[in-house]
Amino acid sequence: MGRVLLIIAAVVAALLLLGPLVGFVFTLLKWALVIAAVLFGVAFLSKMLKRT
């Protein structure tokens, strides 16, 4: 009985820690995509301005 409760407590603790961790990973991914889009836009504009 004690072992089952310990396993349940470990699963609940892991889920509580996993939520903010997944949110942090998605936040990093979002910022990486924003930075990549800005860099792509700057590169595209610089190529367009060099042609003229």
Side-chain angles (χ1 to χ4, degrees), residues 5-41:
L5 289 175
L6 186 63
I7 292 171
I8 291 172
V11 168
V12 170
L15 289 175
L16 286 175
L17 291 174
L18 192 64
L21 187 64
V22 169
F24 181 67
V25 167
F26 278 115
T27 301
L28 287 178
L29 181 63
K30 178 185 72 172
W31 280 110
L33 288 174
V34 167
I35 291 170
V38 168
L39 291 176
F40 180 74

Side-chain angles (χ1 to χ4, degrees), residues 31-52:
W31 280 110
L33 288 174
V34 167
I35 291 170
V38 168
L39 291 176
F40 180 74
V42 167
F44 180 74
L45 283 176
S46 67
K47 279 188 177 183
M48 292 299 285
L49 291 175
K50 283 183 182 177
R51 286 187 191 168
T52 58

